[in-house]
Amino acid sequence: MNSHAEHATDAHGHAHPELGFIRKYVFSEDHKIIGVQFLFTSIIFLGLGGILALLVRIQLAWPHAEIPFIHNYFPDNGGRMPESFYNMCFTMHASVMIFFVIIPFLTGAFGNFTIPLMIGAGDMAFPKLNMMSYWILWPAFVLISFSFFVDGGAAASGWTAYPTISSVAMPAGQGLASPAAPGSGPGQVLWLLSLLCVGVSSMMGSVNYITTIINMRAPGMTLYRMPMTIWAMFITAILQAFALPVLTVALILQTLDKTIGTTFFLPDGLSFGNWSPEVGGGQPLLWQHLFWFYSHPAVYIMILPSMGMVSDILATFARRPLFGYRAMIYSIAGIAGLGFIVWGHHMFQSGMDPRLGTGFMVATIMIALPSAIKVFNWLGTIYRGNLQFTTPMLFALGFVSLFIIGGLSGIFMAATPVDIYIHDTYFIVAHIHYVLFASSLLGIFGGIYYWFPKMFGKMMNDNVGKAHFFLTFVLCNCTFFPMHMVGLAGLRRRIPDITAGALEAKLLPLNEFMSISALLLGLAQLIFVANFLWSIFFGAKASQNPWKSNTLEWTTGDPVPGHGNFDTVPIVHCGPYEYGEHGDKDNCPQTEKSTTPVAAH
Amino acid sequence: MGNKGWSVLFGVTMLACAIGFAVSPLMGWWMPEGVSAHAGAVDGLFYLIYAVTAVAFIITEVILVIFMWRYAKTPDGKPPIAPNAGFPTFLKPFESFLNDHHKIELAWTIVPSIVLLVIVFAQVNAWAEIKYATRNRNDGTKVDSARAQIAVSARQFEWRMRYPSAARFKGWMAEPAATRKDFESFGKIPHFDDVHVVNELHIWKDHPVVVHLTTRDVIHSFNLPNFRVKQDALPGKMIPVWFTPTKVNCKWDESRQRYIDGYDPAGKKEKDKEYTWDIACAELCGWGHYRMIGRVFVHKDQAEFLDWLQKAEAEGTRRN
């Protein structure tokens, strides 16, 4: 610990000359600045992903109408969105939201910002690697943005990019255009390369997080005194470190298939119109196994950090110890462990041996157990509390309420026979949006409102924040809940015109309702953006510990500490959740000796 | 909004979701009637999970809302409940249990795991019956196991069906043992006299059918929602799909000189949406994915199916 202690005092002791603007705010090695950089880019891509989502919703609700503004762009198609363009919209919506919004928000922004502060470290273990993990994202940003303008448009074979539609290519020398779909040409290649960069970034981040959490905890910060946010980040980083190499391999193989004509995923005997690839011998299911071996754990990568942050927020504003602290840790670990053996539940109808499906079903249904335990523990935490309904608390409670729906609907599709019917319907779309929007994103909003004072030294406006919560909570249910019903009625995902099928046409009114709700939901997010930007410049000045929280980030000298975080190395004396009666105050920061020990769980 | 108001917001929103889901069968936003032999099993398992999740949903959301109401911060700043307050009277008998966190945690770990295990083991057999080759393979030795076979080849953006000729089909039905090899070769080896039809799947009521599913370009999904059938067609592989239709939806139309579907035999209604059964591609396959839709025609018996097959064969020959 000695070298670490020196680093902390040294860095804050103004012994070094002040860094210039570029080194301080652009190519910064300070984990807090890097976290905020991730935060800003994620918010910008949230806007892009949101616009793509609204284009999808507009097409779904009014498939034959000429939409004002949009129709100017499609004079060749009678002013209506072409089918390929629609396919591109939902493909890029999902890709952007998953790889450029949720993951960078959670592991990039919050992982970076919270880990050293909450464990009492001066910075990450590898500050330069940390800087690199952000800047390697920029090639990804450029490639993915540029892909919208190439011949055939951006990728359009779904965010899952299943071969053969995504990967079939013309023979060498005939360009990158695909015989299967216009968006599977150069757009798909850029998509693959861009995701490779994102993967490398996450990999660098996860190595750094694991090392930092293991090696750089302040004296007294035992593993079982770490806040849930840190536990969640730790386990998420392990998930990333083990699962990402598999995705990286898959992306490289598909890139080779597309560019130099290998056939890892292309079997014999294909034909497209009058043209047949001359060689084959590959296996399209291989991609699905590799892809989901990463992408199912990725679903947990996209929810566990939110769960950790929500646990901290709930305990802080319920003024109660977190119920079942160890059970919470074990259930996160359980979700992560089981998360590696459930990928096949995406493939029940894929042509994989159905006997494998049975095994994957057992693991998948059992993963509901740790999720259920977490919900019970959150309810136990607010029991007998003194609930302070601040904006972060509302988002945390909203998370609990809607995660229940997203968790329970997962059981339907985990059951193989039931999945036969609901697979590839809107029921699945409802489920994923309850988990990723109504849970992950609500958790992210909670985290932003909660740590904003630490990030910028200002408070976000609480009343405006509450209005944002009110609208988001109501409208996201209006947007996503009816998807369960239309899915059960047989509405398939990924179709631009729902009037084509016998079962689907009658669902148009419900689709209009969802789309109008979605448009309003999109508008409601402008309230957040306005509040965020306004508060950075004009928000009320934050005190050192505005939420009377216990964790170490609120014990730094200045509200926004400099590079190095702590004036002196904090010594940790107690766990993070000693809220409730402590003499004349109702919290006990981790740096103080606990006066009234709260019953340990 | 006052502190207690938030619990009202949560309560009202969740109640609206619950009511919306509960009434959606009445609105027609629900699974269509199942028309295959295994549809009942699938739907039954769906309702089992529905019942369990509905109970879990109601319990957890009600507790959340009650806690949000009861423990909301009071305007005068006093804690909403004294730290040493006892339990309400109706919970008194469980006081020792509720005070022992360890016991509570054990209870809410063990009870859900038992419920989940029950759900798991309820599913296994139905899945095996529907999808396992071992439960569905037709060895061609018994008369009643002789089945209708159809080879379905998917492509952007249509379903191409291949049937045996009427003569060959009659041979299979009459002498299953003697024609066993020929019967089993049908899926893999096309014959010169096969009958080719686009986007129409013809079968007859109460008779099992096996579909040999292939695709020649990208992944498609052979999705028959009314029959609770879904199977991806995978490039490079032939995948068998089994099911048994249990309802009739077509009849001979004298004026159009062809069989029409969407016919309700009980009500004698034509163009009935509930009797129009799509083969709606369920795996993204390109720009025309949404309109890659075929139709299932379920004839009332084998004789009517044979009649259709002979007519289709004659039409094909004429065209050639």
Side-chain angles (χ1 to χ4, degrees), chain A residues 52 54-60 62-63 65-67 70-71 73-74 77-87 89 496:
Chain A
L52 290 165
L54 296 182
L55 287 172
V56 167
R57 283 304 335 166
I58 287 170
Q59 172 66 22
L60 280 169
W62 303 282
E66 273 196 37
I67 307 296
I70 293 176
H71 76 260
Y73 289 89
F74 306 109
N77 201 44
R80 287 187 295 273
M81 212 182 272
E83 292 92 341
S84 307
F85 182 84
Y86 173 85
N87 290 354
C89 285

PDB file of all heavy atoms in Angstrom, chain A residues 52 54-60 62-63 65-67 70-71 73-74 77-87 89 496:
ATOM      1  N   LEU A  52     -33.110   6.769 -34.444  1.00  0.00           N
ATOM      2  CA  LEU A  52     -33.318   5.555 -35.242  1.00  0.00           C
ATOM      3  C   LEU A  52     -34.527   4.773 -34.724  1.00  0.00           C
ATOM      4  O   LEU A  52     -35.337   4.259 -35.502  1.00  0.00           O
ATOM      5  CB  LEU A  52     -32.060   4.678 -35.196  1.00  0.00           C
ATOM      6  CG  LEU A  52     -30.850   5.231 -35.948  1.00  0.00           C
ATOM      7  CD1 LEU A  52     -29.586   4.489 -35.550  1.00  0.00           C
ATOM      8  CD2 LEU A  52     -31.062   5.131 -37.444  1.00  0.00           C
ATOM      9  N   LEU A  54     -37.122   6.008 -33.255  1.00  0.00           N
ATOM     10  CA  LEU A  54     -38.360   6.704 -33.612  1.00  0.00           C
ATOM     11  C   LEU A  54     -38.697   6.496 -35.080  1.00  0.00           C
ATOM     12  O   LEU A  54     -39.874   6.375 -35.447  1.00  0.00           O
ATOM     13  CB  LEU A  54     -38.251   8.190 -33.269  1.00  0.00           C
ATOM     14  CG  LEU A  54     -38.098   8.452 -31.765  1.00  0.00           C
ATOM     15  CD1 LEU A  54     -38.037   9.942 -31.479  1.00  0.00           C
ATOM     16  CD2 LEU A  54     -39.245   7.817 -30.978  1.00  0.00           C
ATOM     17  N   LEU A  55     -37.667   6.422 -35.949  1.00  0.00           N
ATOM     18  CA  LEU A  55     -37.939   6.115 -37.358  1.00  0.00           C
ATOM     19  C   LEU A  55     -38.600   4.743 -37.469  1.00  0.00           C
ATOM     20  O   LEU A  55     -39.558   4.550 -38.239  1.00  0.00           O
ATOM     21  CB  LEU A  55     -36.632   6.134 -38.167  1.00  0.00           C
ATOM     22  CG  LEU A  55     -36.022   7.511 -38.428  1.00  0.00           C
ATOM     23  CD1 LEU A  55     -34.646   7.373 -39.069  1.00  0.00           C
ATOM     24  CD2 LEU A  55     -36.935   8.337 -39.317  1.00  0.00           C
ATOM     25  N   VAL A  56     -38.104   3.781 -36.696  1.00  0.00           N
ATOM     26  CA  VAL A  56     -38.699   2.439 -36.696  1.00  0.00           C
ATOM     27  C   VAL A  56     -40.151   2.508 -36.256  1.00  0.00           C
ATOM     28  O   VAL A  56     -41.046   1.957 -36.902  1.00  0.00           O
ATOM     29  CB  VAL A  56     -37.886   1.513 -35.763  1.00  0.00           C
ATOM     30  CG1 VAL A  56     -38.641   0.218 -35.490  1.00  0.00           C
ATOM     31  CG2 VAL A  56     -36.529   1.211 -36.363  1.00  0.00           C
ATOM     32  N   ARG A  57     -40.396   3.244 -35.170  1.00  0.00           N
ATOM     33  CA  ARG A  57     -41.764   3.321 -34.641  1.00  0.00           C
ATOM     34  C   ARG A  57     -42.700   4.014 -35.621  1.00  0.00           C
ATOM     35  O   ARG A  57     -43.856   3.642 -35.759  1.00  0.00           O
ATOM     36  CB  ARG A  57     -41.782   4.061 -33.302  1.00  0.00           C
ATOM     37  CG  ARG A  57     -41.316   3.335 -32.087  1.00  0.00           C
ATOM     38  CD  ARG A  57     -41.963   2.035 -31.709  1.00  0.00           C
ATOM     39  NE  ARG A  57     -43.308   1.778 -32.144  1.00  0.00           N
ATOM     40  CZ  ARG A  57     -43.880   0.572 -32.093  1.00  0.00           C
ATOM     41  NH1 ARG A  57     -43.248  -0.460 -31.589  1.00  0.00           N
ATOM     42  NH2 ARG A  57     -45.106   0.395 -32.504  1.00  0.00           N
ATOM     43  N   ILE A  58     -42.199   5.051 -36.294  1.00  0.00           N
ATOM     44  CA  ILE A  58     -43.051   5.766 -37.251  1.00  0.00           C
ATOM     45  C   ILE A  58     -43.471   4.817 -38.373  1.00  0.00           C
ATOM     46  O   ILE A  58     -44.643   4.732 -38.745  1.00  0.00           O
ATOM     47  CB  ILE A  58     -42.293   6.993 -37.807  1.00  0.00           C
ATOM     48  CG1 ILE A  58     -42.211   8.079 -36.735  1.00  0.00           C
ATOM     49  CG2 ILE A  58     -42.980   7.528 -39.055  1.00  0.00           C
ATOM     50  CD1 ILE A  58     -41.282   9.219 -37.086  1.00  0.00           C
ATOM     51  N   GLN A  59     -42.513   4.057 -38.895  1.00  0.00           N
ATOM     52  CA  GLN A  59     -42.824   3.125 -39.977  1.00  0.00           C
ATOM     53  C   GLN A  59     -43.815   2.063 -39.508  1.00  0.00           C
ATOM     54  O   GLN A  59     -44.717   1.674 -40.255  1.00  0.00           O
ATOM     55  CB  GLN A  59     -41.529   2.483 -40.482  1.00  0.00           C
ATOM     56  CG  GLN A  59     -41.715   1.359 -41.466  1.00  0.00           C
ATOM     57  CD  GLN A  59     -42.317   1.827 -42.778  1.00  0.00           C
ATOM     58  OE1 GLN A  59     -42.235   3.000 -43.120  1.00  0.00           O
ATOM     59  NE2 GLN A  59     -42.939   0.901 -43.501  1.00  0.00           N
ATOM     60  N   LEU A  60     -43.663   1.588 -38.272  1.00  0.00           N
ATOM     61  CA  LEU A  60     -44.534   0.518 -37.785  1.00  0.00           C
ATOM     62  C   LEU A  60     -45.974   0.982 -37.618  1.00  0.00           C
ATOM     63  O   LEU A  60     -46.911   0.229 -37.864  1.00  0.00           O
ATOM     64  CB  LEU A  60     -44.009  -0.005 -36.444  1.00  0.00           C
ATOM     65  CG  LEU A  60     -42.846  -0.990 -36.557  1.00  0.00           C
ATOM     66  CD1 LEU A  60     -42.245  -1.238 -35.193  1.00  0.00           C
ATOM     67  CD2 LEU A  60     -43.329  -2.300 -37.161  1.00  0.00           C
ATOM     68  N   TRP A  62     -47.441   3.771 -39.109  1.00  0.00           N
ATOM     69  CA  TRP A  62     -48.069   4.321 -40.317  1.00  0.00           C
ATOM     70  C   TRP A  62     -47.339   3.797 -41.551  1.00  0.00           C
ATOM     71  O   TRP A  62     -46.652   4.561 -42.252  1.00  0.00           O
ATOM     72  CB  TRP A  62     -48.025   5.856 -40.260  1.00  0.00           C
ATOM     73  CG  TRP A  62     -48.705   6.379 -39.031  1.00  0.00           C
ATOM     74  CD1 TRP A  62     -50.047   6.494 -38.843  1.00  0.00           C
ATOM     75  CD2 TRP A  62     -48.098   6.866 -37.830  1.00  0.00           C
ATOM     76  NE1 TRP A  62     -50.311   6.996 -37.584  1.00  0.00           N
ATOM     77  CE2 TRP A  62     -49.140   7.234 -36.941  1.00  0.00           C
ATOM     78  CE3 TRP A  62     -46.768   7.010 -37.396  1.00  0.00           C
ATOM     79  CZ2 TRP A  62     -48.894   7.750 -35.660  1.00  0.00           C
ATOM     80  CZ3 TRP A  62     -46.524   7.514 -36.123  1.00  0.00           C
ATOM     81  CH2 TRP A  62     -47.585   7.884 -35.270  1.00  0.00           C
ATOM     82  N   PRO A  63     -47.476   2.482 -41.821  1.00  0.00           N
ATOM     83  CA  PRO A  63     -46.636   1.867 -42.858  1.00  0.00           C
ATOM     84  C   PRO A  63     -46.872   2.425 -44.260  1.00  0.00           C
ATOM     85  O   PRO A  63     -45.972   2.372 -45.084  1.00  0.00           O
ATOM     86  CB  PRO A  63     -46.997   0.383 -42.779  1.00  0.00           C
ATOM     87  CG  PRO A  63     -48.284   0.316 -42.057  1.00  0.00           C
ATOM     88  CD  PRO A  63     -48.343   1.500 -41.156  1.00  0.00           C
ATOM     89  N   ALA A  65     -48.280   5.589 -44.943  1.00  0.00           N
ATOM     90  CA  ALA A  65     -48.486   7.034 -44.997  1.00  0.00           C
ATOM     91  C   ALA A  65     -47.235   7.738 -45.492  1.00  0.00           C
ATOM     92  O   ALA A  65     -46.125   7.217 -45.379  1.00  0.00           O
ATOM     93  CB  ALA A  65     -48.852   7.547 -43.610  1.00  0.00           C
ATOM     94  N   GLU A  66     -47.458   8.896 -46.082  1.00  0.00           N
ATOM     95  CA  GLU A  66     -46.309   9.750 -46.387  1.00  0.00           C
ATOM     96  C   GLU A  66     -46.050  10.601 -45.165  1.00  0.00           C
ATOM     97  O   GLU A  66     -46.869  11.429 -44.776  1.00  0.00           O
ATOM     98  CB  GLU A  66     -46.622  10.637 -47.592  1.00  0.00           C
ATOM     99  CG  GLU A  66     -46.301   9.955 -48.893  1.00  0.00           C
ATOM    100  CD  GLU A  66     -46.229  10.943 -50.044  1.00  0.00           C
ATOM    101  OE1 GLU A  66     -45.734  12.071 -49.831  1.00  0.00           O
ATOM    102  OE2 GLU A  66     -46.684  10.580 -51.126  1.00  0.00           O
ATOM    103  N   ILE A  67     -44.929  10.400 -44.552  1.00  0.00           N
ATOM    104  CA  ILE A  67     -44.632  11.093 -43.305  1.00  0.00           C
ATOM    105  C   ILE A  67     -43.969  12.425 -43.647  1.00  0.00           C
ATOM    106  O   ILE A  67     -43.034  12.478 -44.437  1.00  0.00           O
ATOM    107  CB  ILE A  67     -43.687  10.263 -42.435  1.00  0.00           C
ATOM    108  CG1 ILE A  67     -44.246   8.856 -42.228  1.00  0.00           C
ATOM    109  CG2 ILE A  67     -43.439  10.935 -41.101  1.00  0.00           C
ATOM    110  CD1 ILE A  67     -45.532   8.779 -41.481  1.00  0.00           C
ATOM    111  N   ILE A  70     -39.880  13.124 -43.602  1.00  0.00           N
ATOM    112  CA  ILE A  70     -39.192  11.914 -44.034  1.00  0.00           C
ATOM    113  C   ILE A  70     -39.382  11.699 -45.537  1.00  0.00           C
ATOM    114  O   ILE A  70     -38.484  11.239 -46.237  1.00  0.00           O
ATOM    115  CB  ILE A  70     -39.713  10.696 -43.237  1.00  0.00           C
ATOM    116  CG1 ILE A  70     -39.302  10.831 -41.777  1.00  0.00           C
ATOM    117  CG2 ILE A  70     -39.168   9.386 -43.801  1.00  0.00           C
ATOM    118  CD1 ILE A  70     -39.840   9.760 -40.880  1.00  0.00           C
ATOM    119  N   HIS A  71     -40.577  12.063 -46.055  1.00  0.00           N
ATOM    120  CA  HIS A  71     -40.864  11.707 -47.445  1.00  0.00           C
ATOM    121  C   HIS A  71     -39.954  12.438 -48.437  1.00  0.00           C
ATOM    122  O   HIS A  71     -39.762  11.963 -49.547  1.00  0.00           O
ATOM    123  CB  HIS A  71     -42.350  11.893 -47.787  1.00  0.00           C
ATOM    124  CG  HIS A  71     -42.763  13.309 -47.990  1.00  0.00           C
ATOM    125  ND1 HIS A  71     -43.398  14.044 -47.016  1.00  0.00           N
ATOM    126  CD2 HIS A  71     -42.646  14.131 -49.053  1.00  0.00           C
ATOM    127  CE1 HIS A  71     -43.640  15.253 -47.475  1.00  0.00           C
ATOM    128  NE2 HIS A  71     -43.194  15.336 -48.706  1.00  0.00           N
ATOM    129  N   TYR A  73     -36.919  12.507 -48.386  1.00  0.00           N
ATOM    130  CA  TYR A  73     -35.686  11.758 -48.588  1.00  0.00           C
ATOM    131  C   TYR A  73     -35.866  10.532 -49.480  1.00  0.00           C
ATOM    132  O   TYR A  73     -34.908   9.913 -49.877  1.00  0.00           O
ATOM    133  CB  TYR A  73     -35.114  11.326 -47.230  1.00  0.00           C
ATOM    134  CG  TYR A  73     -34.555  12.497 -46.474  1.00  0.00           C
ATOM    135  CD1 TYR A  73     -35.361  13.242 -45.622  1.00  0.00           C
ATOM    136  CD2 TYR A  73     -33.231  12.898 -46.656  1.00  0.00           C
ATOM    137  CE1 TYR A  73     -34.857  14.337 -44.953  1.00  0.00           C
ATOM    138  CE2 TYR A  73     -32.719  13.978 -45.987  1.00  0.00           C
ATOM    139  CZ  TYR A  73     -33.532  14.713 -45.132  1.00  0.00           C
ATOM    140  OH  TYR A  73     -33.039  15.797 -44.471  1.00  0.00           O
ATOM    141  N   PHE A  74     -37.111  10.161 -49.753  1.00  0.00           N
ATOM    142  CA  PHE A  74     -37.325   8.939 -50.531  1.00  0.00           C
ATOM    143  C   PHE A  74     -38.208   9.183 -51.740  1.00  0.00           C
ATOM    144  O   PHE A  74     -39.256   8.548 -51.887  1.00  0.00           O
ATOM    145  CB  PHE A  74     -37.928   7.844 -49.636  1.00  0.00           C
ATOM    146  CG  PHE A  74     -37.133   7.587 -48.397  1.00  0.00           C
ATOM    147  CD1 PHE A  74     -37.609   7.971 -47.156  1.00  0.00           C
ATOM    148  CD2 PHE A  74     -35.880   6.980 -48.480  1.00  0.00           C
ATOM    149  CE1 PHE A  74     -36.864   7.738 -46.013  1.00  0.00           C
ATOM    150  CE2 PHE A  74     -35.135   6.759 -47.341  1.00  0.00           C
ATOM    151  CZ  PHE A  74     -35.625   7.139 -46.110  1.00  0.00           C
ATOM    152  N   ASN A  77     -39.236   6.130 -53.848  1.00  0.00           N
ATOM    153  CA  ASN A  77     -40.091   5.093 -53.274  1.00  0.00           C
ATOM    154  C   ASN A  77     -41.457   5.668 -52.908  1.00  0.00           C
ATOM    155  O   ASN A  77     -42.082   5.234 -51.943  1.00  0.00           O
ATOM    156  CB  ASN A  77     -39.406   4.497 -52.040  1.00  0.00           C
ATOM    157  CG  ASN A  77     -39.944   3.129 -51.698  1.00  0.00           C
ATOM    158  OD1 ASN A  77     -40.126   2.312 -52.586  1.00  0.00           O
ATOM    159  ND2 ASN A  77     -40.232   2.897 -50.424  1.00  0.00           N
ATOM    160  N   GLY A  78     -41.915   6.645 -53.668  1.00  0.00           N
ATOM    161  CA  GLY A  78     -43.221   7.247 -53.393  1.00  0.00           C
ATOM    162  C   GLY A  78     -43.256   7.977 -52.071  1.00  0.00           C
ATOM    163  O   GLY A  78     -44.314   8.107 -51.461  1.00  0.00           O
ATOM    164  N   GLY A  79     -42.108   8.445 -51.594  1.00  0.00           N
ATOM    165  CA  GLY A  79     -42.085   9.190 -50.340  1.00  0.00           C
ATOM    166  C   GLY A  79     -42.119   8.303 -49.113  1.00  0.00           C
ATOM    167  O   GLY A  79     -42.174   8.794 -47.997  1.00  0.00           O
ATOM    168  N   ARG A  80     -42.119   6.993 -49.318  1.00  0.00           N
ATOM    169  CA  ARG A  80     -42.134   6.098 -48.153  1.00  0.00           C
ATOM    170  C   ARG A  80     -40.763   5.481 -47.942  1.00  0.00           C
ATOM    171  O   ARG A  80     -39.961   5.349 -48.852  1.00  0.00           O
ATOM    172  CB  ARG A  80     -43.191   5.016 -48.338  1.00  0.00           C
ATOM    173  CG  ARG A  80     -44.599   5.532 -48.187  1.00  0.00           C
ATOM    174  CD  ARG A  80     -45.595   4.393 -48.212  1.00  0.00           C
ATOM    175  NE  ARG A  80     -45.606   3.727 -49.497  1.00  0.00           N
ATOM    176  CZ  ARG A  80     -46.342   4.088 -50.537  1.00  0.00           C
ATOM    177  NH1 ARG A  80     -47.135   5.141 -50.432  1.00  0.00           N
ATOM    178  NH2 ARG A  80     -46.306   3.434 -51.668  1.00  0.00           N
ATOM    179  N   MET A  81     -40.556   5.074 -46.690  1.00  0.00           N
ATOM    180  CA  MET A  81     -39.292   4.465 -46.302  1.00  0.00           C
ATOM    181  C   MET A  81     -39.133   3.121 -47.025  1.00  0.00           C
ATOM    182  O   MET A  81     -40.016   2.278 -46.931  1.00  0.00           O
ATOM    183  CB  MET A  81     -39.398   4.208 -44.792  1.00  0.00           C
ATOM    184  CG  MET A  81     -38.142   4.297 -44.030  1.00  0.00           C
ATOM    185  SD  MET A  81     -38.503   3.893 -42.302  1.00  0.00           S
ATOM    186  CE  MET A  81     -38.956   5.457 -41.617  1.00  0.00           C
ATOM    187  N   PRO A  82     -38.023   2.893 -47.753  1.00  0.00           N
ATOM    188  CA  PRO A  82     -37.851   1.574 -48.367  1.00  0.00           C
ATOM    189  C   PRO A  82     -37.616   0.514 -47.284  1.00  0.00           C
ATOM    190  O   PRO A  82     -37.135   0.823 -46.201  1.00  0.00           O
ATOM    191  CB  PRO A  82     -36.591   1.738 -49.229  1.00  0.00           C
ATOM    192  CG  PRO A  82     -36.271   3.182 -49.238  1.00  0.00           C
ATOM    193  CD  PRO A  82     -36.917   3.799 -48.052  1.00  0.00           C
ATOM    194  N   GLU A  83     -37.946  -0.734 -47.625  1.00  0.00           N
ATOM    195  CA  GLU A  83     -37.807  -1.818 -46.641  1.00  0.00           C
ATOM    196  C   GLU A  83     -36.367  -1.939 -46.149  1.00  0.00           C
ATOM    197  O   GLU A  83     -36.119  -2.160 -44.964  1.00  0.00           O
ATOM    198  CB  GLU A  83     -38.244  -3.155 -47.244  1.00  0.00           C
ATOM    199  CG  GLU A  83     -39.731  -3.274 -47.535  1.00  0.00           C
ATOM    200  CD  GLU A  83     -40.085  -2.848 -48.939  1.00  0.00           C
ATOM    201  OE1 GLU A  83     -39.271  -2.134 -49.563  1.00  0.00           O
ATOM    202  OE2 GLU A  83     -41.173  -3.216 -49.419  1.00  0.00           O
ATOM    203  N   SER A  84     -35.414  -1.804 -47.082  1.00  0.00           N
ATOM    204  CA  SER A  84     -34.007  -1.952 -46.676  1.00  0.00           C
ATOM    205  C   SER A  84     -33.597  -0.853 -45.703  1.00  0.00           C
ATOM    206  O   SER A  84     -32.803  -1.080 -44.793  1.00  0.00           O
ATOM    207  CB  SER A  84     -33.081  -1.878 -47.892  1.00  0.00           C
ATOM    208  OG  SER A  84     -33.494  -2.784 -48.852  1.00  0.00           O
ATOM    209  N   PHE A  85     -34.163   0.332 -45.914  1.00  0.00           N
ATOM    210  CA  PHE A  85     -33.846   1.434 -45.020  1.00  0.00           C
ATOM    211  C   PHE A  85     -34.389   1.137 -43.622  1.00  0.00           C
ATOM    212  O   PHE A  85     -33.729   1.373 -42.615  1.00  0.00           O
ATOM    213  CB  PHE A  85     -34.457   2.735 -45.548  1.00  0.00           C
ATOM    214  CG  PHE A  85     -34.132   3.937 -44.707  1.00  0.00           C
ATOM    215  CD1 PHE A  85     -32.942   4.620 -44.889  1.00  0.00           C
ATOM    216  CD2 PHE A  85     -35.014   4.393 -43.736  1.00  0.00           C
ATOM    217  CE1 PHE A  85     -32.631   5.715 -44.112  1.00  0.00           C
ATOM    218  CE2 PHE A  85     -34.712   5.476 -42.941  1.00  0.00           C
ATOM    219  CZ  PHE A  85     -33.523   6.152 -43.136  1.00  0.00           C
ATOM    220  N   TYR A  86     -35.594   0.565 -43.593  1.00  0.00           N
ATOM    221  CA  TYR A  86     -36.172   0.192 -42.302  1.00  0.00           C
ATOM    222  C   TYR A  86     -35.284  -0.843 -41.605  1.00  0.00           C
ATOM    223  O   TYR A  86     -35.004  -0.733 -40.405  1.00  0.00           O
ATOM    224  CB  TYR A  86     -37.585  -0.370 -42.510  1.00  0.00           C
ATOM    225  CG  TYR A  86     -38.182  -0.938 -41.252  1.00  0.00           C
ATOM    226  CD1 TYR A  86     -38.841  -0.113 -40.352  1.00  0.00           C
ATOM    227  CD2 TYR A  86     -38.073  -2.289 -40.952  1.00  0.00           C
ATOM    228  CE1 TYR A  86     -39.364  -0.624 -39.185  1.00  0.00           C
ATOM    229  CE2 TYR A  86     -38.589  -2.813 -39.790  1.00  0.00           C
ATOM    230  CZ  TYR A  86     -39.242  -1.974 -38.909  1.00  0.00           C
ATOM    231  OH  TYR A  86     -39.749  -2.484 -37.750  1.00  0.00           O
ATOM    232  N   ASN A  87     -34.838  -1.849 -42.379  1.00  0.00           N
ATOM    233  CA  ASN A  87     -33.966  -2.872 -41.787  1.00  0.00           C
ATOM    234  C   ASN A  87     -32.704  -2.235 -41.219  1.00  0.00           C
ATOM    235  O   ASN A  87     -32.204  -2.639 -40.171  1.00  0.00           O
ATOM    236  CB  ASN A  87     -33.587  -3.926 -42.834  1.00  0.00           C
ATOM    237  CG  ASN A  87     -34.766  -4.806 -43.215  1.00  0.00           C
ATOM    238  OD1 ASN A  87     -35.824  -4.709 -42.626  1.00  0.00           O
ATOM    239  ND2 ASN A  87     -34.573  -5.653 -44.207  1.00  0.00           N
ATOM    240  N   CYS A  89     -32.489   0.806 -40.063  1.00  0.00           N
ATOM    241  CA  CYS A  89     -32.833   1.587 -38.865  1.00  0.00           C
ATOM    242  C   CYS A  89     -32.828   0.714 -37.617  1.00  0.00           C
ATOM    243  O   CYS A  89     -32.226   1.067 -36.603  1.00  0.00           O
ATOM    244  CB  CYS A  89     -34.212   2.229 -39.008  1.00  0.00           C
ATOM    245  SG  CYS A  89     -34.221   3.629 -40.112  1.00  0.00           S
ATOM    246  N   PRO A 496     -41.287  -4.239 -41.657  1.00  0.00           N
ATOM    247  CA  PRO A 496     -41.623  -2.828 -41.841  1.00  0.00           C
ATOM    248  C   PRO A 496     -43.115  -2.585 -42.093  1.00  0.00           C
ATOM    249  O   PRO A 496     -43.583  -1.462 -41.934  1.00  0.00           O
ATOM    250  CB  PRO A 496     -40.812  -2.423 -43.075  1.00  0.00           C
ATOM    251  CG  PRO A 496     -40.616  -3.697 -43.828  1.00  0.00           C
ATOM    252  CD  PRO A 496     -40.598  -4.809 -42.821  1.00  0.00           C
TER     253      PRO A 496
END
